[in-house]
Amino acid sequence: MSNFLIAGNWKMNCGPSEAKQLSDDLANRWPSGSFQCEVVVSPPSISIPSAVESLEDTDIKVSAQNTHTEDSGAYTGDISTPMIKDAGCTHVIVGHSERREYYGEDNDLVAEKARKVILDDLTAIVCVGEKLDQRKKGEQEKIVMDQLDAVLNKITIDQAKSLVIAYEPVWAIGTGETASPEQAQEMHLFIRNFLKERWNEQRSSEIKILYGGSMKPANAEELLSQNDVDGGLIGGASLKEESFSGIIEIAEKLS
Ligand code: PEP
C-alpha cells in the first residue's frame, strides 16, 4: 500500500510562540529524510508562518484548518487559498465537524471549499462523519455518503488526486472514545467502494482515507493496521511532540 498520511490538527491551540516551540521540537525529532510516510501539521492561521519557518528544513508539511471560497474581498476574519499557498502550506482541512457544527457549514459549502482548494493546487483534507444519534439510528452510511457525494459532484476524477478524506465519527472527536478498529474499517471500506463506483478502482485505491477521533499512540497501531485506513487526522495527541511522534513511529513501523 501507499505511505500513511499522519496529520495533526492543532485546532485553536498554539499561538505563534507555542507553535514555534512545537514545530522546533518536531524538526529536531524528524530531520529531513527520517520518515517514509507523509506528515502534516495544521496550526491556527496566525501561527502558520512560525510553523512553516521552523519546519522549513524537514519533510513535515503545513496545512490550514479552513479557507474561504473567494480569493479576496470583504470577508472579515477569513483567509483564502492564494494566501494559504503564499504562506507555504500544501494542505487545507475542509469541513471539520467543528466547522459544520459551530459555523453552520453545510455539505454544499464544504464541497465548494474543497473544489477551490483543489483548483488552487492544494490538497483538500475533507472531513466526513456521523454524530452519535445518527449512528444509533443506523444512519451513518447515509450521512457520510451525502457529505461525500456533495464533494465528488464538484471535482473530476483527475482533480481527485488532490483529495484526502478523513472519516471522523463526531462522537469520537476529543471525547477519548475511539471507533473500534472494526467500525473504522467498515466505514473506510464503504467510502472506498463509494469512490470506486463513482470513479474507478485505481483512483479509489489512491485516495487516502484517514481515521480521526481520539487517535493516540496507545490505539494507533490497531487502527492503522486496518486495510482501508491510510493514516490519521489527530487532534489532542498532535499537541505534544512525544505523542504525535509516537503515532508517526507506529506508521513507520507498519509501512
Ligand atoms: C480532530 O480534531 O480532527 C480530532 C480527531 O480530534 P481528537 O484526536 O482530539 O479526537
Side-chain angles (χ1 to χ4, degrees):
M1 69 158 274
S2 58
N3 289 336
F4 288 108
L5 167 56
I6 302 300
N9 174 14
W10 296 356
K11 309 193 187 190
M12 197 174 72
N13 298 291
C14 298
S17 348
E18 268 184 84
K20 179 178 182 335
Q21 186 62 58
L22 180 51
S23 303
D24 284 346
D25 291 346
L26 286 169
N28 286 333
R29 173 68 186 82
W30 300 103
S32 181
S34 57
F35 55 74
Q36 305 290 316
C37 55
E38 207 180 342
V39 179
V40 178
V41 294
S42 189
S45 48
I46 199 167
S47 304
I48 286 174
S50 24
V52 167
E53 197 187 326
S54 290
L55 297 169
E56 201 175 12
D57 297 327
T58 75
D59 302 320
I60 301 175
K61 298 170 184 163
V62 181
S63 171
Q65 296 178 13
N66 182 34
T67 188
H68 199 276
T69 52
E70 299 293 327
D71 285 345
S72 60
Y75 302 102
T76 304
D78 272 314
I79 57 169
S80 69
T81 45
M83 296 172 187
I84 290 168
K85 252 176 101 167
D86 188 27
C89 293
T90 51
H91 292 64
V92 183
I93 298 173
V94 181
H96 191 280
S97 63
E98 287 149 15
R99 302 281 333 161
R100 293 178 188 261
E101 179 76 13
Y102 306 140
Y103 303 91
E105 294 196 8
D106 61 14
N107 287 349
D108 284 346
L109 179 59
V110 171
E112 278 299 341
K113 288 186 176 190
R115 178 168 174 273
K116 176 70 176 148
V117 168
I118 291 173
L119 278 178
D120 286 350
D121 294 324
L122 292 156
T123 298
I125 303 177
V126 174
C127 302
V128 296
E130 80 286 356
K131 296 181 188 168
L132 185 57
D133 61 315
Q134 294 164 333
R135 177 162 279 267
K136 280 186 176 157
K137 285 190 254 168
E139 294 172 354
Q140 63 271 23
E141 290 186 351
K142 165 91 175 77
I143 295 294
V144 168
M145 192 175 74
D146 288 349
Q147 292 171 336
L148 219 49
D149 192 49
V151 174
L152 303 195
N153 285 340
K154 297 259 188 229
I155 60 172
T156 64
I157 180 169
D158 198 46
Q159 291 169 334
K161 286 179 189 153
S162 303
L163 174 68
V164 170
I165 295 164
Y167 169 57
E168 302 205 299
V170 179
W171 46 273
I173 298 180
T175 57
E177 197 171 327
T178 321
S180 69
E182 295 74 26
Q183 282 172 322
Q185 169 57 23
E186 193 178 31
M187 183 60 87
H188 282 230
L189 181 59
F190 173 78
I191 294 171
R192 186 86 65 206
N193 286 334
F194 190 69
L195 296 170
K196 187 158 72 179
E197 273 166 36
R198 177 65 60 105
W199 289 315
N200 58 39
E201 173 101 44
Q202 194 195 333
R203 184 61 80 240
S204 79
S205 64
E206 285 164 356
I207 294 174
K208 286 199 166 79
I209 309 175
L210 315 182
Y211 168 79
S214 301
M215 189 185 271
K216 46 185 183 275
N219 59 24
E221 179 152 4
E222 53 178 12
L223 288 161
L224 294 175
S225 300
Q226 301 303 307
N227 257 348
D228 291 285
V229 176
D230 305 320
L233 180 56
I234 298 128
S238 71
L239 293 173
K240 294 264 176 297
E241 182 277 318
E242 224 179 39
S243 44
F244 192 54
S245 293
I247 297 174
I248 299 171
E249 277 164 16
I250 290 165
E252 285 296 285
K253 190 180 86 173
L254 295 174
S255 289

Short mmCIF file of all heavy atoms in Angstrom, two decimals, residues 186-211:
data_model
loop_
_atom_site.label_atom_id
_atom_site.label_comp_id
_atom_site.label_asym_id
_atom_site.label_seq_id
_atom_site.Cartn_x
_atom_site.Cartn_y
_atom_site.Cartn_z
N GLU A 186 -14.99 -0.77 8.63
CA GLU A 186 -16.27 -0.91 7.94
C GLU A 186 -16.63 0.37 7.18
O GLU A 186 -17.01 0.34 6.01
CB GLU A 186 -17.35 -1.22 8.99
CG GLU A 186 -18.65 -1.69 8.42
CD GLU A 186 -19.65 -2.02 9.54
OE1 GLU A 186 -19.61 -1.38 10.62
OE2 GLU A 186 -20.46 -2.91 9.34
N MET A 187 -16.46 1.51 7.85
CA MET A 187 -16.80 2.77 7.18
C MET A 187 -15.77 3.12 6.10
O MET A 187 -16.13 3.62 5.03
CB MET A 187 -16.90 3.90 8.21
CG MET A 187 -17.32 5.21 7.61
SD MET A 187 -18.94 5.14 6.79
CE MET A 187 -20.03 5.46 8.19
N HIS A 188 -14.50 2.84 6.37
CA HIS A 188 -13.48 3.14 5.35
C HIS A 188 -13.72 2.31 4.08
O HIS A 188 -13.57 2.81 2.97
CB HIS A 188 -12.07 2.89 5.91
CG HIS A 188 -11.59 3.99 6.81
ND1 HIS A 188 -10.36 4.60 6.67
CD2 HIS A 188 -12.20 4.61 7.84
CE1 HIS A 188 -10.23 5.54 7.60
NE2 HIS A 188 -11.32 5.56 8.33
N LEU A 189 -14.13 1.08 4.26
CA LEU A 189 -14.41 0.23 3.09
C LEU A 189 -15.64 0.76 2.35
O LEU A 189 -15.67 0.78 1.12
CB LEU A 189 -14.64 -1.22 3.54
CG LEU A 189 -14.91 -2.22 2.42
CD1 LEU A 189 -13.75 -2.27 1.42
CD2 LEU A 189 -15.13 -3.62 3.01
N PHE A 190 -16.62 1.21 3.11
CA PHE A 190 -17.82 1.80 2.50
C PHE A 190 -17.41 3.01 1.63
O PHE A 190 -17.86 3.17 0.49
CB PHE A 190 -18.82 2.22 3.59
CG PHE A 190 -20.00 2.97 3.06
CD1 PHE A 190 -21.05 2.30 2.43
CD2 PHE A 190 -20.05 4.35 3.16
CE1 PHE A 190 -22.13 3.00 1.92
CE2 PHE A 190 -21.13 5.07 2.65
CZ PHE A 190 -22.17 4.39 2.03
N ILE A 191 -16.54 3.85 2.20
CA ILE A 191 -16.08 5.04 1.46
C ILE A 191 -15.29 4.62 0.22
O ILE A 191 -15.48 5.15 -0.87
CB ILE A 191 -15.24 5.96 2.39
CG1 ILE A 191 -16.12 6.53 3.50
CG2 ILE A 191 -14.54 7.06 1.59
CD1 ILE A 191 -15.36 7.28 4.60
N ARG A 192 -14.40 3.65 0.41
CA ARG A 192 -13.58 3.17 -0.73
C ARG A 192 -14.49 2.68 -1.85
O ARG A 192 -14.29 3.00 -3.02
CB ARG A 192 -12.67 2.04 -0.25
CG ARG A 192 -11.68 1.55 -1.27
CD ARG A 192 -10.38 2.33 -1.31
NE ARG A 192 -9.64 2.18 -0.08
CZ ARG A 192 -8.77 3.09 0.38
NH1 ARG A 192 -8.54 4.19 -0.30
NH2 ARG A 192 -8.12 2.89 1.51
N ASN A 193 -15.51 1.91 -1.50
CA ASN A 193 -16.42 1.38 -2.52
C ASN A 193 -17.21 2.49 -3.19
O ASN A 193 -17.48 2.43 -4.39
CB ASN A 193 -17.37 0.34 -1.91
CG ASN A 193 -16.63 -0.96 -1.63
OD1 ASN A 193 -15.63 -1.26 -2.28
ND2 ASN A 193 -17.10 -1.72 -0.66
N PHE A 194 -17.58 3.48 -2.42
CA PHE A 194 -18.31 4.62 -2.98
C PHE A 194 -17.44 5.34 -4.02
O PHE A 194 -17.90 5.72 -5.09
CB PHE A 194 -18.71 5.56 -1.83
CG PHE A 194 -19.66 6.65 -2.23
CD1 PHE A 194 -20.97 6.35 -2.57
CD2 PHE A 194 -19.24 7.97 -2.27
CE1 PHE A 194 -21.85 7.36 -2.96
CE2 PHE A 194 -20.12 8.98 -2.65
CZ PHE A 194 -21.42 8.68 -2.99
N LEU A 195 -16.16 5.49 -3.68
CA LEU A 195 -15.22 6.15 -4.62
C LEU A 195 -15.04 5.28 -5.88
O LEU A 195 -14.93 5.81 -6.99
CB LEU A 195 -13.86 6.36 -3.94
CG LEU A 195 -13.82 7.31 -2.74
CD1 LEU A 195 -12.47 7.23 -2.04
CD2 LEU A 195 -14.11 8.75 -3.18
N LYS A 196 -15.01 3.99 -5.66
CA LYS A 196 -14.81 3.07 -6.79
C LYS A 196 -16.01 3.13 -7.74
O LYS A 196 -15.86 3.19 -8.95
CB LYS A 196 -14.62 1.64 -6.26
CG LYS A 196 -14.23 0.65 -7.33
CD LYS A 196 -13.55 -0.57 -6.76
CE LYS A 196 -14.53 -1.45 -6.02
NZ LYS A 196 -13.90 -2.65 -5.47
N GLU A 197 -17.20 3.15 -7.17
CA GLU A 197 -18.40 3.23 -8.00
C GLU A 197 -18.45 4.53 -8.77
O GLU A 197 -18.86 4.58 -9.92
CB GLU A 197 -19.65 3.15 -7.12
CG GLU A 197 -20.10 1.73 -6.85
CD GLU A 197 -21.12 1.70 -5.73
OE1 GLU A 197 -21.95 2.62 -5.60
OE2 GLU A 197 -21.04 0.74 -4.92
N ARG A 198 -18.01 5.61 -8.11
CA ARG A 198 -18.07 6.92 -8.76
C ARG A 198 -17.00 7.04 -9.84
O ARG A 198 -17.25 7.54 -10.92
CB ARG A 198 -17.87 8.02 -7.70
CG ARG A 198 -17.84 9.43 -8.25
CD ARG A 198 -19.19 9.78 -8.85
NE ARG A 198 -20.24 9.70 -7.85
CZ ARG A 198 -20.80 10.77 -7.31
NH1 ARG A 198 -20.45 11.97 -7.68
NH2 ARG A 198 -21.74 10.61 -6.40
N TRP A 199 -15.81 6.59 -9.53
CA TRP A 199 -14.71 6.73 -10.47
C TRP A 199 -14.22 5.34 -10.90
O TRP A 199 -14.86 4.70 -11.68
CB TRP A 199 -13.60 7.61 -9.88
CG TRP A 199 -14.03 9.04 -9.79
CD1 TRP A 199 -14.67 9.77 -10.76
CD2 TRP A 199 -13.88 9.94 -8.68
NE1 TRP A 199 -14.92 11.05 -10.33
CE2 TRP A 199 -14.44 11.18 -9.07
CE3 TRP A 199 -13.33 9.82 -7.41
CZ2 TRP A 199 -14.45 12.29 -8.22
CZ3 TRP A 199 -13.34 10.92 -6.57
CH2 TRP A 199 -13.90 12.14 -6.98
N ASN A 200 -13.13 4.88 -10.35
CA ASN A 200 -12.69 3.53 -10.70
C ASN A 200 -11.80 2.98 -9.59
O ASN A 200 -11.45 3.68 -8.64
CB ASN A 200 -11.98 3.51 -12.07
CG ASN A 200 -10.78 4.44 -12.08
OD1 ASN A 200 -10.04 4.53 -11.10
ND2 ASN A 200 -10.57 5.14 -13.19
N GLU A 201 -11.44 1.74 -9.78
CA GLU A 201 -10.66 1.02 -8.76
C GLU A 201 -9.34 1.74 -8.46
O GLU A 201 -8.97 1.94 -7.30
CB GLU A 201 -10.38 -0.39 -9.32
CG GLU A 201 -9.45 -1.23 -8.48
CD GLU A 201 -10.21 -2.23 -7.65
OE1 GLU A 201 -11.13 -2.86 -8.18
OE2 GLU A 201 -9.85 -2.37 -6.46
N GLN A 202 -8.67 2.16 -9.55
CA GLN A 202 -7.35 2.76 -9.35
C GLN A 202 -7.45 4.06 -8.52
O GLN A 202 -6.75 4.23 -7.53
CB GLN A 202 -6.69 3.04 -10.69
CG GLN A 202 -5.21 3.34 -10.50
CD GLN A 202 -4.58 3.97 -11.72
OE1 GLN A 202 -5.04 3.76 -12.83
NE2 GLN A 202 -3.54 4.75 -11.50
N ARG A 203 -8.37 4.94 -8.95
CA ARG A 203 -8.47 6.21 -8.23
C ARG A 203 -8.91 5.96 -6.77
O ARG A 203 -8.40 6.58 -5.85
CB ARG A 203 -9.45 7.16 -8.94
CG ARG A 203 -9.54 8.54 -8.31
CD ARG A 203 -8.20 9.33 -8.30
NE ARG A 203 -7.93 9.92 -9.57
CZ ARG A 203 -6.83 9.65 -10.30
NH1 ARG A 203 -5.92 8.82 -9.84
NH2 ARG A 203 -6.63 10.23 -11.45
N SER A 204 -9.84 5.04 -6.60
CA SER A 204 -10.34 4.80 -5.23
C SER A 204 -9.23 4.26 -4.34
O SER A 204 -9.19 4.55 -3.15
CB SER A 204 -11.54 3.86 -5.24
OG SER A 204 -11.12 2.53 -5.39
N SER A 205 -8.31 3.50 -4.92
CA SER A 205 -7.24 2.97 -4.06
C SER A 205 -6.16 4.02 -3.80
O SER A 205 -5.41 3.92 -2.83
CB SER A 205 -6.64 1.70 -4.66
OG SER A 205 -6.01 2.02 -5.87
N GLU A 206 -6.09 5.03 -4.67
CA GLU A 206 -5.06 6.07 -4.49
C GLU A 206 -5.47 7.14 -3.47
O GLU A 206 -4.62 7.81 -2.89
CB GLU A 206 -4.78 6.77 -5.82
CG GLU A 206 -3.96 5.93 -6.77
CD GLU A 206 -4.03 6.46 -8.20
OE1 GLU A 206 -4.76 7.43 -8.46
OE2 GLU A 206 -3.35 5.88 -9.05
N ILE A 207 -6.78 7.33 -3.31
CA ILE A 207 -7.24 8.39 -2.40
C ILE A 207 -7.04 7.93 -0.96
O ILE A 207 -7.52 6.86 -0.57
CB ILE A 207 -8.72 8.74 -2.67
CG1 ILE A 207 -8.83 9.36 -4.07
CG2 ILE A 207 -9.26 9.69 -1.60
CD1 ILE A 207 -10.26 9.62 -4.50
N LYS A 208 -6.34 8.74 -0.19
CA LYS A 208 -6.08 8.34 1.20
C LYS A 208 -7.33 8.60 2.05
O LYS A 208 -7.94 9.67 1.97
CB LYS A 208 -4.91 9.13 1.76
CG LYS A 208 -3.57 8.66 1.20
CD LYS A 208 -2.41 9.10 2.08
CE LYS A 208 -1.14 8.35 1.73
NZ LYS A 208 -0.47 8.85 0.54
N ILE A 209 -7.67 7.61 2.84
CA ILE A 209 -8.80 7.75 3.77
C ILE A 209 -8.23 7.66 5.19
O ILE A 209 -7.73 6.61 5.61
CB ILE A 209 -9.87 6.66 3.54
CG1 ILE A 209 -10.27 6.59 2.05
CG2 ILE A 209 -11.09 6.92 4.41
CD1 ILE A 209 -11.22 5.44 1.71
N LEU A 210 -8.27 8.80 5.89
CA LEU A 210 -7.70 8.87 7.24
C LEU A 210 -8.79 8.59 8.26
O LEU A 210 -9.96 8.91 8.05
CB LEU A 210 -7.13 10.27 7.52
CG LEU A 210 -6.28 10.93 6.44
CD1 LEU A 210 -5.77 12.28 6.95
CD2 LEU A 210 -5.13 10.03 6.03
N TYR A 211 -8.39 8.05 9.39
CA TYR A 211 -9.33 7.94 10.52
C TYR A 211 -9.02 9.07 11.50
O TYR A 211 -7.84 9.36 11.78
CB TYR A 211 -9.20 6.58 11.24
CG TYR A 211 -9.94 6.62 12.55
CD1 TYR A 211 -11.33 6.48 12.57
CD2 TYR A 211 -9.29 6.91 13.74
CE1 TYR A 211 -12.04 6.61 13.74
CE2 TYR A 211 -9.99 7.04 14.93
CZ TYR A 211 -11.36 6.90 14.92
OH TYR A 211 -12.07 7.06 16.08
#
